[in-house]
């Protein structure tokens, strides 16, 4: 796993007010709007995201860089690969 | 493995509409082609603007209806209709209405929310299910 502390995040979206599957939908929007190589992050309080986001990233062919606790939520970090 | 998910939406209660919308969204996110066949109360729930006043929930849990509607409003949970619109933005989600129900209640396609794109027959619906999964809600 890459060192999350030293990653430079291109765009981050705060989806903490959003419910399943909102945070995943937010990530999909970020990935679609971003450029290849962008590092994209979503903040989520939805426990389903911990399974949903890595599963979607693998299926969609992007790179899951990791997740880390952030305040009352989890930050999910993804690199757009194609 | 088939890449198709078909949902028969018979119920028009908010709890089942919500479950159906979220299941459809997840399937669309995972790259599945989703087909939703509305019949009976499912069609009635998609009449234009009906969602704004629909606060019905399943009979067996109807004592929870006010609490559920209150929690959804307070937590700003997107409506089932908004969830379906999001699903259509990220994937292939087709929503059709049962012709028989349309006849029964004298409805035209224009009477329904625009995300419903066609009126279909039950045999035609099953023919497109092929070897995919079909759910009944």
């Amino acid at each position: 796993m890459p060192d999350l502390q030293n990653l430079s995040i291109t765009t981050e979206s705060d989806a903490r007010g959003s419910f399943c599957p909102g945070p995943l939908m937010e990530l999909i929007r970020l990935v679609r709007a971003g450029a290849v190589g962008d590092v994209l992050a979503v903040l989520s309080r939805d426990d389903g995201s911990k399974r949903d986001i890595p599963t979607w990233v693998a299926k969609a062919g992007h790179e899951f860089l990791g997740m880390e606790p952030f305040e009352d939520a989890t930050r999910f970090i993804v690199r757009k690969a194609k | 493995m088939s890449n198709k998910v078909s949902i028969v939406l018979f119920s028009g209660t908010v709890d089942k509409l919500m479950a159906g919308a979220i299941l459809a969204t997840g399937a669309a996110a995972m790259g599945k082609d989703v087909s939703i066949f509305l019949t009976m109360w499912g069609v009635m729930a998609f009449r234009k603007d009906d969602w704004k006043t629909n606060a019905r929930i399943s009979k067996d849990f109807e004592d929870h209806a006010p609490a559920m509607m209150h929690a959804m409003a307070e937590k700003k949970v997107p409506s089932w209709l908004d969830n379906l619109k999001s699903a259509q933005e990220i994937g292939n989600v087709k929503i059709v209405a049962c012709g028989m129900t349309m006849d029964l209640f004298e409805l035209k396609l224009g009477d329904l929310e625009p995300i419903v794109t066609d009126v279909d027959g039950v045999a035609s619906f099953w023919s497109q299910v092929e070897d995919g999964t079909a759910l009944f809600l």
Side-chain angles (χ1 to χ4, degrees), chain B residues 51-87:
Chain B
W51 65 277
K52 292 177 183 169
T53 52
N54 184 0
R56 296 183 175 93
I57 84 161
S58 302
K59 196 78 183 160
D60 48 351
F61 273 86
E62 69 184 342
D63 52 322
H64 289 264
M68 188 190 82
M69 296 309 290
H70 178 76
M72 283 174 43
E74 192 174 17
K75 295 181 178 181
K76 298 190 175 69
V77 177
S79 70
W80 55 267
L81 191 63
D82 282 341
N83 266 313
L84 284 175
K85 287 176 185 167
S86 307

PDB file of all heavy atoms in Angstrom, chain B residues 51-87:
ATOM      1  N   TRP B  51     -44.636  10.719  -6.063  1.00  0.00           N
ATOM      2  CA  TRP B  51     -43.591  10.472  -5.063  1.00  0.00           C
ATOM      3  C   TRP B  51     -43.546  11.553  -3.994  1.00  0.00           C
ATOM      4  O   TRP B  51     -43.131  11.306  -2.865  1.00  0.00           O
ATOM      5  CB  TRP B  51     -42.222  10.368  -5.742  1.00  0.00           C
ATOM      6  CG  TRP B  51     -41.780  11.653  -6.396  1.00  0.00           C
ATOM      7  CD1 TRP B  51     -42.133  12.102  -7.635  1.00  0.00           C
ATOM      8  CD2 TRP B  51     -40.936  12.652  -5.822  1.00  0.00           C
ATOM      9  NE1 TRP B  51     -41.560  13.327  -7.876  1.00  0.00           N
ATOM     10  CE2 TRP B  51     -40.819  13.689  -6.796  1.00  0.00           C
ATOM     11  CE3 TRP B  51     -40.261  12.777  -4.605  1.00  0.00           C
ATOM     12  CZ2 TRP B  51     -40.055  14.837  -6.551  1.00  0.00           C
ATOM     13  CZ3 TRP B  51     -39.503  13.917  -4.371  1.00  0.00           C
ATOM     14  CH2 TRP B  51     -39.407  14.933  -5.342  1.00  0.00           C
ATOM     15  N   LYS B  52     -44.005  12.779  -4.357  1.00  0.00           N
ATOM     16  CA  LYS B  52     -43.932  13.894  -3.400  1.00  0.00           C
ATOM     17  C   LYS B  52     -44.840  13.681  -2.200  1.00  0.00           C
ATOM     18  O   LYS B  52     -44.580  14.205  -1.116  1.00  0.00           O
ATOM     19  CB  LYS B  52     -44.317  15.214  -4.094  1.00  0.00           C
ATOM     20  CG  LYS B  52     -43.297  15.652  -5.127  1.00  0.00           C
ATOM     21  CD  LYS B  52     -43.760  16.924  -5.834  1.00  0.00           C
ATOM     22  CE  LYS B  52     -42.791  17.320  -6.924  1.00  0.00           C
ATOM     23  NZ  LYS B  52     -43.343  18.373  -7.789  1.00  0.00           N
ATOM     24  N   THR B  53     -45.921  12.949  -2.401  1.00  0.00           N
ATOM     25  CA  THR B  53     -46.883  12.749  -1.311  1.00  0.00           C
ATOM     26  C   THR B  53     -46.961  11.309  -0.850  1.00  0.00           C
ATOM     27  O   THR B  53     -47.666  11.007   0.109  1.00  0.00           O
ATOM     28  CB  THR B  53     -48.291  13.197  -1.763  1.00  0.00           C
ATOM     29  OG1 THR B  53     -48.592  12.557  -3.007  1.00  0.00           O
ATOM     30  CG2 THR B  53     -48.363  14.696  -1.944  1.00  0.00           C
ATOM     31  N   ASN B  54     -46.259  10.405  -1.518  1.00  0.00           N
ATOM     32  CA  ASN B  54     -46.334   8.991  -1.149  1.00  0.00           C
ATOM     33  C   ASN B  54     -45.570   8.741   0.151  1.00  0.00           C
ATOM     34  O   ASN B  54     -44.344   8.874   0.196  1.00  0.00           O
ATOM     35  CB  ASN B  54     -45.750   8.141  -2.288  1.00  0.00           C
ATOM     36  CG  ASN B  54     -45.883   6.646  -2.023  1.00  0.00           C
ATOM     37  OD1 ASN B  54     -46.410   6.231  -0.984  1.00  0.00           O
ATOM     38  ND2 ASN B  54     -45.413   5.844  -2.956  1.00  0.00           N
ATOM     39  N   ALA B  55     -46.300   8.412   1.219  1.00  0.00           N
ATOM     40  CA  ALA B  55     -45.672   8.105   2.507  1.00  0.00           C
ATOM     41  C   ALA B  55     -46.096   6.717   2.975  1.00  0.00           C
ATOM     42  O   ALA B  55     -46.030   6.398   4.154  1.00  0.00           O
ATOM     43  CB  ALA B  55     -46.051   9.163   3.539  1.00  0.00           C
ATOM     44  N   ARG B  56     -46.539   5.895   2.016  1.00  0.00           N
ATOM     45  CA  ARG B  56     -46.973   4.535   2.380  1.00  0.00           C
ATOM     46  C   ARG B  56     -45.768   3.651   2.643  1.00  0.00           C
ATOM     47  O   ARG B  56     -44.756   3.778   1.977  1.00  0.00           O
ATOM     48  CB  ARG B  56     -47.761   3.925   1.225  1.00  0.00           C
ATOM     49  CG  ARG B  56     -49.060   4.637   0.894  1.00  0.00           C
ATOM     50  CD  ARG B  56     -49.754   3.876  -0.228  1.00  0.00           C
ATOM     51  NE  ARG B  56     -51.063   4.422  -0.524  1.00  0.00           N
ATOM     52  CZ  ARG B  56     -51.280   5.348  -1.464  1.00  0.00           C
ATOM     53  NH1 ARG B  56     -50.283   5.813  -2.189  1.00  0.00           N
ATOM     54  NH2 ARG B  56     -52.499   5.795  -1.668  1.00  0.00           N
ATOM     55  N   ILE B  57     -45.897   2.744   3.624  1.00  0.00           N
ATOM     56  CA  ILE B  57     -44.886   1.689   3.734  1.00  0.00           C
ATOM     57  C   ILE B  57     -45.588   0.346   3.906  1.00  0.00           C
ATOM     58  O   ILE B  57     -46.798   0.285   4.109  1.00  0.00           O
ATOM     59  CB  ILE B  57     -43.793   1.956   4.793  1.00  0.00           C
ATOM     60  CG1 ILE B  57     -44.196   1.544   6.184  1.00  0.00           C
ATOM     61  CG2 ILE B  57     -43.326   3.391   4.786  1.00  0.00           C
ATOM     62  CD1 ILE B  57     -42.961   1.393   7.079  1.00  0.00           C
ATOM     63  N   SER B  58     -44.824  -0.737   3.798  1.00  0.00           N
ATOM     64  CA  SER B  58     -45.393  -2.088   3.818  1.00  0.00           C
ATOM     65  C   SER B  58     -46.331  -2.271   4.997  1.00  0.00           C
ATOM     66  O   SER B  58     -46.036  -1.837   6.119  1.00  0.00           O
ATOM     67  CB  SER B  58     -44.283  -3.129   3.902  1.00  0.00           C
ATOM     68  OG  SER B  58     -43.415  -2.985   2.813  1.00  0.00           O
ATOM     69  N   LYS B  59     -47.432  -2.957   4.749  1.00  0.00           N
ATOM     70  CA  LYS B  59     -48.483  -3.175   5.749  1.00  0.00           C
ATOM     71  C   LYS B  59     -47.922  -3.775   7.049  1.00  0.00           C
ATOM     72  O   LYS B  59     -48.307  -3.381   8.148  1.00  0.00           O
ATOM     73  CB  LYS B  59     -49.522  -4.122   5.136  1.00  0.00           C
ATOM     74  CG  LYS B  59     -50.845  -4.162   5.861  1.00  0.00           C
ATOM     75  CD  LYS B  59     -51.695  -2.958   5.519  1.00  0.00           C
ATOM     76  CE  LYS B  59     -52.990  -2.986   6.334  1.00  0.00           C
ATOM     77  NZ  LYS B  59     -53.581  -1.635   6.390  1.00  0.00           N
ATOM     78  N   ASP B  60     -47.013  -4.744   6.891  1.00  0.00           N
ATOM     79  CA  ASP B  60     -46.515  -5.444   8.088  1.00  0.00           C
ATOM     80  C   ASP B  60     -45.648  -4.550   8.975  1.00  0.00           C
ATOM     81  O   ASP B  60     -45.383  -4.900  10.131  1.00  0.00           O
ATOM     82  CB  ASP B  60     -45.781  -6.742   7.705  1.00  0.00           C
ATOM     83  CG  ASP B  60     -44.777  -6.561   6.582  1.00  0.00           C
ATOM     84  OD1 ASP B  60     -44.772  -5.470   5.971  1.00  0.00           O
ATOM     85  OD2 ASP B  60     -44.022  -7.497   6.309  1.00  0.00           O
ATOM     86  N   PHE B  61     -45.203  -3.412   8.454  1.00  0.00           N
ATOM     87  CA  PHE B  61     -44.409  -2.498   9.276  1.00  0.00           C
ATOM     88  C   PHE B  61     -45.006  -1.094   9.278  1.00  0.00           C
ATOM     89  O   PHE B  61     -44.298  -0.116   9.482  1.00  0.00           O
ATOM     90  CB  PHE B  61     -42.951  -2.468   8.804  1.00  0.00           C
ATOM     91  CG  PHE B  61     -42.121  -3.546   9.433  1.00  0.00           C
ATOM     92  CD1 PHE B  61     -42.072  -4.822   8.879  1.00  0.00           C
ATOM     93  CD2 PHE B  61     -41.411  -3.307  10.602  1.00  0.00           C
ATOM     94  CE1 PHE B  61     -41.326  -5.829   9.473  1.00  0.00           C
ATOM     95  CE2 PHE B  61     -40.667  -4.307  11.207  1.00  0.00           C
ATOM     96  CZ  PHE B  61     -40.622  -5.578  10.638  1.00  0.00           C
ATOM     97  N   GLU B  62     -46.303  -1.002   9.048  1.00  0.00           N
ATOM     98  CA  GLU B  62     -46.881   0.331   8.868  1.00  0.00           C
ATOM     99  C   GLU B  62     -46.808   1.194  10.128  1.00  0.00           C
ATOM    100  O   GLU B  62     -46.826   2.414  10.042  1.00  0.00           O
ATOM    101  CB  GLU B  62     -48.316   0.261   8.329  1.00  0.00           C
ATOM    102  CG  GLU B  62     -49.326  -0.285   9.275  1.00  0.00           C
ATOM    103  CD  GLU B  62     -50.702  -0.412   8.605  1.00  0.00           C
ATOM    104  OE1 GLU B  62     -50.914   0.231   7.567  1.00  0.00           O
ATOM    105  OE2 GLU B  62     -51.538  -1.159   9.130  1.00  0.00           O
ATOM    106  N   ASP B  63     -46.673   0.535  11.286  1.00  0.00           N
ATOM    107  CA  ASP B  63     -46.523   1.332  12.515  1.00  0.00           C
ATOM    108  C   ASP B  63     -45.212   2.127  12.499  1.00  0.00           C
ATOM    109  O   ASP B  63     -45.053   3.079  13.248  1.00  0.00           O
ATOM    110  CB  ASP B  63     -46.618   0.438  13.765  1.00  0.00           C
ATOM    111  CG  ASP B  63     -45.687  -0.754  13.706  1.00  0.00           C
ATOM    112  OD1 ASP B  63     -45.524  -1.337  12.606  1.00  0.00           O
ATOM    113  OD2 ASP B  63     -45.101  -1.100  14.746  1.00  0.00           O
ATOM    114  N   HIS B  64     -44.268   1.717  11.633  1.00  0.00           N
ATOM    115  CA  HIS B  64     -42.990   2.428  11.545  1.00  0.00           C
ATOM    116  C   HIS B  64     -42.997   3.552  10.511  1.00  0.00           C
ATOM    117  O   HIS B  64     -41.996   4.245  10.357  1.00  0.00           O
ATOM    118  CB  HIS B  64     -41.862   1.452  11.188  1.00  0.00           C
ATOM    119  CG  HIS B  64     -41.506   0.518  12.301  1.00  0.00           C
ATOM    120  ND1 HIS B  64     -40.465   0.759  13.167  1.00  0.00           N
ATOM    121  CD2 HIS B  64     -42.066  -0.633  12.694  1.00  0.00           C
ATOM    122  CE1 HIS B  64     -40.394  -0.225  14.044  1.00  0.00           C
ATOM    123  NE2 HIS B  64     -41.359  -1.091  13.781  1.00  0.00           N
ATOM    124  N   ALA B  65     -44.102   3.690   9.789  1.00  0.00           N
ATOM    125  CA  ALA B  65     -44.114   4.652   8.678  1.00  0.00           C
ATOM    126  C   ALA B  65     -43.767   6.081   9.098  1.00  0.00           C
ATOM    127  O   ALA B  65     -42.875   6.698   8.509  1.00  0.00           O
ATOM    128  CB  ALA B  65     -45.457   4.612   7.940  1.00  0.00           C
ATOM    129  N   PRO B  66     -44.432   6.622  10.134  1.00  0.00           N
ATOM    130  CA  PRO B  66     -44.104   8.015  10.482  1.00  0.00           C
ATOM    131  C   PRO B  66     -42.646   8.174  10.894  1.00  0.00           C
ATOM    132  O   PRO B  66     -41.984   9.142  10.481  1.00  0.00           O
ATOM    133  CB  PRO B  66     -45.038   8.311  11.669  1.00  0.00           C
ATOM    134  CG  PRO B  66     -46.144   7.298  11.568  1.00  0.00           C
ATOM    135  CD  PRO B  66     -45.514   6.072  10.966  1.00  0.00           C
ATOM    136  N   ALA B  67     -42.124   7.200  11.657  1.00  0.00           N
ATOM    137  CA  ALA B  67     -40.727   7.287  12.102  1.00  0.00           C
ATOM    138  C   ALA B  67     -39.777   7.217  10.909  1.00  0.00           C
ATOM    139  O   ALA B  67     -38.795   7.975  10.836  1.00  0.00           O
ATOM    140  CB  ALA B  67     -40.422   6.149  13.084  1.00  0.00           C
ATOM    141  N   MET B  68     -40.074   6.351   9.943  1.00  0.00           N
ATOM    142  CA  MET B  68     -39.200   6.220   8.780  1.00  0.00           C
ATOM    143  C   MET B  68     -39.223   7.494   7.939  1.00  0.00           C
ATOM    144  O   MET B  68     -38.169   8.002   7.546  1.00  0.00           O
ATOM    145  CB  MET B  68     -39.615   5.030   7.926  1.00  0.00           C
ATOM    146  CG  MET B  68     -38.625   4.732   6.813  1.00  0.00           C
ATOM    147  SD  MET B  68     -39.220   3.518   5.616  1.00  0.00           S
ATOM    148  CE  MET B  68     -40.216   4.550   4.562  1.00  0.00           C
ATOM    149  N   MET B  69     -40.417   8.024   7.687  1.00  0.00           N
ATOM    150  CA  MET B  69     -40.516   9.220   6.864  1.00  0.00           C
ATOM    151  C   MET B  69     -39.820  10.396   7.560  1.00  0.00           C
ATOM    152  O   MET B  69     -39.152  11.202   6.913  1.00  0.00           O
ATOM    153  CB  MET B  69     -41.989   9.569   6.565  1.00  0.00           C
ATOM    154  CG  MET B  69     -42.732   8.532   5.736  1.00  0.00           C
ATOM    155  SD  MET B  69     -41.918   8.006   4.190  1.00  0.00           S
ATOM    156  CE  MET B  69     -42.069   9.475   3.177  1.00  0.00           C
ATOM    157  N   HIS B  70     -39.969  10.459   8.881  1.00  0.00           N
ATOM    158  CA  HIS B  70     -39.332  11.528   9.648  1.00  0.00           C
ATOM    159  C   HIS B  70     -37.810  11.411   9.572  1.00  0.00           C
ATOM    160  O   HIS B  70     -37.110  12.397   9.319  1.00  0.00           O
ATOM    161  CB  HIS B  70     -39.804  11.468  11.104  1.00  0.00           C
ATOM    162  CG  HIS B  70     -39.162  12.489  11.980  1.00  0.00           C
ATOM    163  ND1 HIS B  70     -39.524  13.821  11.950  1.00  0.00           N
ATOM    164  CD2 HIS B  70     -38.154  12.393  12.884  1.00  0.00           C
ATOM    165  CE1 HIS B  70     -38.768  14.488  12.812  1.00  0.00           C
ATOM    166  NE2 HIS B  70     -37.926  13.644  13.382  1.00  0.00           N
ATOM    167  N   ALA B  71     -37.295  10.188   9.767  1.00  0.00           N
ATOM    168  CA  ALA B  71     -35.840   9.982   9.738  1.00  0.00           C
ATOM    169  C   ALA B  71     -35.284  10.308   8.354  1.00  0.00           C
ATOM    170  O   ALA B  71     -34.225  10.927   8.229  1.00  0.00           O
ATOM    171  CB  ALA B  71     -35.499   8.539  10.110  1.00  0.00           C
ATOM    172  N   MET B  72     -36.016   9.932   7.301  1.00  0.00           N
ATOM    173  CA  MET B  72     -35.538  10.194   5.953  1.00  0.00           C
ATOM    174  C   MET B  72     -35.490  11.685   5.652  1.00  0.00           C
ATOM    175  O   MET B  72     -34.564  12.167   5.006  1.00  0.00           O
ATOM    176  CB  MET B  72     -36.398   9.447   4.921  1.00  0.00           C
ATOM    177  CG  MET B  72     -36.027   7.967   4.872  1.00  0.00           C
ATOM    178  SD  MET B  72     -37.068   6.935   3.818  1.00  0.00           S
ATOM    179  CE  MET B  72     -37.258   7.943   2.406  1.00  0.00           C
ATOM    180  N   ALA B  73     -36.491  12.414   6.166  1.00  0.00           N
ATOM    181  CA  ALA B  73     -36.516  13.861   5.941  1.00  0.00           C
ATOM    182  C   ALA B  73     -35.394  14.534   6.729  1.00  0.00           C
ATOM    183  O   ALA B  73     -34.652  15.374   6.206  1.00  0.00           O
ATOM    184  CB  ALA B  73     -37.868  14.428   6.335  1.00  0.00           C
ATOM    185  N   GLU B  74     -35.248  14.119   7.998  1.00  0.00           N
ATOM    186  CA  GLU B  74     -34.263  14.755   8.878  1.00  0.00           C
ATOM    187  C   GLU B  74     -32.836  14.511   8.381  1.00  0.00           C
ATOM    188  O   GLU B  74     -31.981  15.392   8.432  1.00  0.00           O
ATOM    189  CB  GLU B  74     -34.431  14.196  10.289  1.00  0.00           C
ATOM    190  CG  GLU B  74     -33.670  14.974  11.324  1.00  0.00           C
ATOM    191  CD  GLU B  74     -33.970  14.470  12.734  1.00  0.00           C
ATOM    192  OE1 GLU B  74     -34.490  13.339  12.867  1.00  0.00           O
ATOM    193  OE2 GLU B  74     -33.682  15.187  13.679  1.00  0.00           O
ATOM    194  N   LYS B  75     -32.575  13.279   7.913  1.00  0.00           N
ATOM    195  CA  LYS B  75     -31.219  12.938   7.451  1.00  0.00           C
ATOM    196  C   LYS B  75     -31.027  13.272   5.979  1.00  0.00           C
ATOM    197  O   LYS B  75     -30.008  12.942   5.401  1.00  0.00           O
ATOM    198  CB  LYS B  75     -30.956  11.458   7.717  1.00  0.00           C
ATOM    199  CG  LYS B  75     -30.945  11.142   9.205  1.00  0.00           C
ATOM    200  CD  LYS B  75     -30.670   9.688   9.495  1.00  0.00           C
ATOM    201  CE  LYS B  75     -30.635   9.479  11.008  1.00  0.00           C
ATOM    202  NZ  LYS B  75     -30.347   8.102  11.375  1.00  0.00           N
ATOM    203  N   LYS B  76     -32.023  13.895   5.389  1.00  0.00           N
ATOM    204  CA  LYS B  76     -31.949  14.307   3.982  1.00  0.00           C
ATOM    205  C   LYS B  76     -31.565  13.145   3.068  1.00  0.00           C
ATOM    206  O   LYS B  76     -30.727  13.269   2.175  1.00  0.00           O
ATOM    207  CB  LYS B  76     -30.981  15.469   3.796  1.00  0.00           C
ATOM    208  CG  LYS B  76     -31.394  16.729   4.563  1.00  0.00           C
ATOM    209  CD  LYS B  76     -30.523  17.913   4.142  1.00  0.00           C
ATOM    210  CE  LYS B  76     -30.969  19.212   4.783  1.00  0.00           C
ATOM    211  NZ  LYS B  76     -30.723  19.253   6.232  1.00  0.00           N
ATOM    212  N   VAL B  77     -32.144  11.986   3.299  1.00  0.00           N
ATOM    213  CA  VAL B  77     -31.925  10.827   2.433  1.00  0.00           C
ATOM    214  C   VAL B  77     -32.582  11.139   1.082  1.00  0.00           C
ATOM    215  O   VAL B  77     -33.743  11.548   1.042  1.00  0.00           O
ATOM    216  CB  VAL B  77     -32.572   9.566   3.055  1.00  0.00           C
ATOM    217  CG1 VAL B  77     -32.412   8.365   2.129  1.00  0.00           C
ATOM    218  CG2 VAL B  77     -31.957   9.276   4.420  1.00  0.00           C
ATOM    219  N   PRO B  78     -31.839  10.968  -0.022  1.00  0.00           N
ATOM    220  CA  PRO B  78     -32.451  11.246  -1.322  1.00  0.00           C
ATOM    221  C   PRO B  78     -33.664  10.346  -1.548  1.00  0.00           C
ATOM    222  O   PRO B  78     -33.686   9.212  -1.071  1.00  0.00           O
ATOM    223  CB  PRO B  78     -31.343  10.900  -2.329  1.00  0.00           C
ATOM    224  CG  PRO B  78     -30.086  10.773  -1.542  1.00  0.00           C
ATOM    225  CD  PRO B  78     -30.468  10.468  -0.132  1.00  0.00           C
ATOM    226  N   SER B  79     -34.650  10.848  -2.256  1.00  0.00           N
ATOM    227  CA  SER B  79     -35.847  10.056  -2.519  1.00  0.00           C
ATOM    228  C   SER B  79     -35.484   8.859  -3.396  1.00  0.00           C
ATOM    229  O   SER B  79     -34.458   8.855  -4.082  1.00  0.00           O
ATOM    230  CB  SER B  79     -36.879  10.907  -3.246  1.00  0.00           C
ATOM    231  OG  SER B  79     -36.446  11.172  -4.563  1.00  0.00           O
ATOM    232  N   TRP B  80     -36.347   7.860  -3.394  1.00  0.00           N
ATOM    233  CA  TRP B  80     -36.093   6.686  -4.256  1.00  0.00           C
ATOM    234  C   TRP B  80     -36.022   7.106  -5.717  1.00  0.00           C
ATOM    235  O   TRP B  80     -35.274   6.544  -6.497  1.00  0.00           O
ATOM    236  CB  TRP B  80     -37.139   5.599  -4.011  1.00  0.00           C
ATOM    237  CG  TRP B  80     -38.563   6.066  -4.163  1.00  0.00           C
ATOM    238  CD1 TRP B  80     -39.392   6.525  -3.182  1.00  0.00           C
ATOM    239  CD2 TRP B  80     -39.318   6.125  -5.380  1.00  0.00           C
ATOM    240  NE1 TRP B  80     -40.605   6.875  -3.712  1.00  0.00           N
ATOM    241  CE2 TRP B  80     -40.588   6.631  -5.055  1.00  0.00           C
ATOM    242  CE3 TRP B  80     -39.048   5.793  -6.711  1.00  0.00           C
ATOM    243  CZ2 TRP B  80     -41.591   6.831  -6.007  1.00  0.00           C
ATOM    244  CZ3 TRP B  80     -40.037   5.982  -7.658  1.00  0.00           C
ATOM    245  CH2 TRP B  80     -41.294   6.496  -7.305  1.00  0.00           C
ATOM    246  N   LEU B  81     -36.798   8.146  -6.060  1.00  0.00           N
ATOM    247  CA  LEU B  81     -36.794   8.606  -7.453  1.00  0.00           C
ATOM    248  C   LEU B  81     -35.433   9.239  -7.810  1.00  0.00           C
ATOM    249  O   LEU B  81     -34.877   8.976  -8.884  1.00  0.00           O
ATOM    250  CB  LEU B  81     -37.932   9.607  -7.678  1.00  0.00           C
ATOM    251  CG  LEU B  81     -38.209   9.969  -9.131  1.00  0.00           C
ATOM    252  CD1 LEU B  81     -38.671   8.771  -9.943  1.00  0.00           C
ATOM    253  CD2 LEU B  81     -39.250  11.082  -9.218  1.00  0.00           C
ATOM    254  N   ASP B  82     -34.889  10.036  -6.877  1.00  0.00           N
ATOM    255  CA  ASP B  82     -33.562  10.617  -7.111  1.00  0.00           C
ATOM    256  C   ASP B  82     -32.494   9.526  -7.214  1.00  0.00           C
ATOM    257  O   ASP B  82     -31.559   9.624  -8.008  1.00  0.00           O
ATOM    258  CB  ASP B  82     -33.194  11.597  -5.989  1.00  0.00           C
ATOM    259  CG  ASP B  82     -33.907  12.936  -6.172  1.00  0.00           C
ATOM    260  OD1 ASP B  82     -34.366  13.209  -7.301  1.00  0.00           O
ATOM    261  OD2 ASP B  82     -34.013  13.683  -5.183  1.00  0.00           O
ATOM    262  N   ASN B  83     -32.633   8.489  -6.367  1.00  0.00           N
ATOM    263  CA  ASN B  83     -31.690   7.372  -6.443  1.00  0.00           C
ATOM    264  C   ASN B  83     -31.717   6.721  -7.824  1.00  0.00           C
ATOM    265  O   ASN B  83     -30.677   6.387  -8.393  1.00  0.00           O
ATOM    266  CB  ASN B  83     -32.029   6.309  -5.387  1.00  0.00           C
ATOM    267  CG  ASN B  83     -31.243   6.514  -4.107  1.00  0.00           C
ATOM    268  OD1 ASN B  83     -30.036   6.719  -4.136  1.00  0.00           O
ATOM    269  ND2 ASN B  83     -31.925   6.453  -2.982  1.00  0.00           N
ATOM    270  N   LEU B  84     -32.903   6.548  -8.357  1.00  0.00           N
ATOM    271  CA  LEU B  84     -33.016   5.926  -9.683  1.00  0.00           C
ATOM    272  C   LEU B  84     -32.422   6.832 -10.766  1.00  0.00           C
ATOM    273  O   LEU B  84     -31.787   6.352 -11.702  1.00  0.00           O
ATOM    274  CB  LEU B  84     -34.472   5.601 -10.006  1.00  0.00           C
ATOM    275  CG  LEU B  84     -35.042   4.376  -9.293  1.00  0.00           C
ATOM    276  CD1 LEU B  84     -36.533   4.228  -9.615  1.00  0.00           C
ATOM    277  CD2 LEU B  84     -34.296   3.098  -9.689  1.00  0.00           C
ATOM    278  N   LYS B  85     -32.625   8.145 -10.613  1.00  0.00           N
ATOM    279  CA  LYS B  85     -32.039   9.074 -11.585  1.00  0.00           C
ATOM    280  C   LYS B  85     -30.509   8.984 -11.544  1.00  0.00           C
ATOM    281  O   LYS B  85     -29.852   8.991 -12.585  1.00  0.00           O
ATOM    282  CB  LYS B  85     -32.508  10.504 -11.315  1.00  0.00           C
ATOM    283  CG  LYS B  85     -33.970  10.719 -11.709  1.00  0.00           C
ATOM    284  CD  LYS B  85     -34.445  12.126 -11.335  1.00  0.00           C
ATOM    285  CE  LYS B  85     -35.933  12.294 -11.630  1.00  0.00           C
ATOM    286  NZ  LYS B  85     -36.489  13.504 -11.002  1.00  0.00           N
ATOM    287  N   SER B  86     -29.946   8.898 -10.334  1.00  0.00           N
ATOM    288  CA  SER B  86     -28.487   8.745 -10.206  1.00  0.00           C
ATOM    289  C   SER B  86     -28.032   7.445 -10.847  1.00  0.00           C
ATOM    290  O   SER B  86     -26.985   7.396 -11.492  1.00  0.00           O
ATOM    291  CB  SER B  86     -28.050   8.731  -8.743  1.00  0.00           C
ATOM    292  OG  SER B  86     -28.542   9.836  -8.073  1.00  0.00           O
ATOM    293  N   ALA B  87     -28.816   6.387 -10.651  1.00  0.00           N
ATOM    294  CA  ALA B  87     -28.456   5.088 -11.232  1.00  0.00           C
ATOM    295  C   ALA B  87     -28.392   5.195 -12.750  1.00  0.00           C
ATOM    296  O   ALA B  87     -27.490   4.652 -13.391  1.00  0.00           O
ATOM    297  CB  ALA B  87     -29.464   4.022 -10.814  1.00  0.00           C
TER     298      ALA B  87
END
